[in-house]
Amino acid sequence: MDVVTLGPEEIRSAVSMSAAIDAVRNGFLALRRGEFEMPTRTVLRDGGFLVMSTHHRPTASAMIKTLSLDFDGRVPAIVGTVVWSELGHGRHLVADATEVTRIRTGAIVGVATDLLAPPEAKTCALIGAGGQAADQIRAVHAVRPLTELRIVARGPERARALAKVLVEELHLDTVHVETDVDEAVRDADIVCCATTSTTPLFSHLSLADHAHVNAIGAFRPTMRELPDELLAEATVVIDERDAVLEESGEIIHALEAGAITEDDLIELGTALTDGIPKRSGRTVFKSVGVAMQDWAIADLLARAFLGRAT
């Protein structure tokens, strides 16, 4: 059996953000076509452990990801492994799940932002400066080149360190570290939320009429990043219905409050193929993450390191 083990540097060297965005976009189109067998992920210890798996029928390949999550001081907060295999071959790939998760979570935001954000969008507010934050901006910048970024985080030192990294890497014209969330999102074209908050991060009244909001932080029913009022008025696109209805605190809360109905939720694969009926100028993309995204990145790694055919 041939097993290739990949660390963070090898993964980054093989997968650009633009390639990741294309792979995840194609993955959602394939998911829409019914090409994936993908059970809802297993959640253990109230979200302390996650197990995600999927099988891509046309290629007879499968991916299993196991994660442990600890947001009480461990760095990185998300650790684990991604295992990719293919029927008929002894080839297996084992990759660092922290890096794969960061890239695929950024990539899905890139797909959604490209679909939903105004074509002329240039300003972005980022709420949160943890492990997922940098790739949110890398992905947004790949599809909507930014001239201004505002970062808000509980730890100003972490926000400033992230700002320095992004300025040097992406050559952004203007980067501010802010302390007031509502002021940071005011007039921003794009807002990215990457926190573990249990209450909405801002008032919907602070958003620009044309704002697009990505929310990827809340992945438990007890977590919420977005207010009901925003979900009630915006066009809401989600990654996958069953996963969101089981795990997304803001969607569950808005449904229970009567702010939205399940019919208001548009899956990303449907939006990519059929377009979206806009209810207002504002759009929201809510993701809790699905296994197909990890398969898409693992497939790119398999092509690079196992010689898998395109």
Side-chain angles (χ1 to χ4, degrees):
M1 182 174 66
D2 182 15
V3 179
V4 174
T5 302
L6 303 176
E9 292 184 2
E10 293 163 305
I11 294 168
R12 286 283 171 180
S13 69
V15 180
S16 68
M17 183 52 72
S18 60
I21 290 170
D22 288 343
V24 169
R25 181 187 292 110
N26 290 334
F28 271 96
L29 292 171
L31 183 65
R32 169 73 166 157
R33 293 192 298 267
E35 294 181 7
F36 284 92
E37 179 183 0
M38 190 175 71
T40 302
R41 67 184 167 197
T42 300
V43 180
L44 305 171
R45 198 179 174 86
D46 190 29
F49 298 95
L50 304 177
V51 181
M52 306 170 70
S53 60
T54 191
H55 161 229
H56 185 232
R57 295 183 180 93
T59 59
S61 60
M63 184 286 314
I64 299 175
K65 180 170 79 169
T66 59
L67 294 177
S68 68
L69 297 89
D70 182 354
F71 294 100
D72 294 325
R74 186 180 72 186
V75 178
I78 301 174
V79 299
T81 58
V82 168
V83 179
W84 185 95
S85 58
E86 184 178 6
L87 286 180
H89 299 277
R91 302 174 298 180
H92 286 71
L93 182 145
V94 179
D96 175 71
T98 302
E99 211 65 20
V100 171
T101 301
R102 287 171 175 169
I103 293 171
R104 64 83 141 156
T105 306
I108 195 173
V109 163
V111 174
T113 300
D114 195 29
L115 177 69
L116 299 170
E120 68 280 3
K122 294 181 179 179
T123 61
C124 180
L126 171 65
I127 308 171
Q132 303 298 316
D135 281 301
Q136 302 300 294
I137 303 308
R138 291 179 180 122
V140 168
H141 188 63
V143 299
R144 295 291 187 275
L146 298 172
T147 60
E148 181 180 352
L149 173 64
R150 309 162 195 167
I151 304 175
V152 189
R154 287 183 298 178
E157 290 186 4
R158 176 177 276 189
R160 285 192 287 270
L162 177 61
K164 184 175 185 295
V165 168
L166 293 174
V167 166
E168 292 176 355
E169 180 180 333
L170 303 179
H171 308 292
L172 302 175
D173 293 339
T174 305
V175 178
H176 298 291
V177 173
E178 307 279 358
T179 57
D180 186 295
V181 176
D182 283 284
E183 285 303 313
V185 304
R186 200 176 307 279
D187 298 326
D189 300 319
I190 301 166
V191 177
C192 291
C193 307
T195 76
T196 56
S197 179
T198 57
T199 57
L201 297 170
F202 50 81
S203 167
H204 72 293
L205 298 175
S206 300
L207 293 170
D209 291 340
H210 65 276
H212 168 64
V213 181
N214 297 303
I216 61 93
F219 61 94
R220 300 177 188 171
T222 54
M223 293 175 164
R224 290 175 66 200
E225 293 184 305
L226 307 179
D228 290 346
E229 296 87 352
L230 172 60
L231 295 171
E233 69 180 13
T235 299
V236 181
V237 177
I238 58 174
D239 50 7
E240 200 268 336
R241 186 174 301 274
D242 289 344
V244 164
L245 292 178
E246 183 170 323
E247 299 176 355
S248 170
E250 49 264 283
I251 297 297
I252 294 170
H253 190 279
L255 287 168
E256 291 177 348
I260 60 172
T261 69
E262 289 189 29
D263 290 340
D264 295 321
L265 305 175
I266 306 168
E267 288 189 323
L268 182 56
T270 300
L272 288 168
T273 55
D274 300 343
I276 53 170
K278 288 194 176 182
R279 295 164 56 189
S280 74
R282 294 173 181 164
T283 55
V284 167
F285 175 63
K286 173 60 197 173
S287 174
V288 294
V290 295
M292 182 280 299
Q293 297 167 242
D294 301 290
W295 176 90
I297 305 305
D299 185 62
L300 291 177
L301 294 172
R303 297 180 188 190
F305 292 97
L306 299 182
R308 180 170 182 267
T310 57

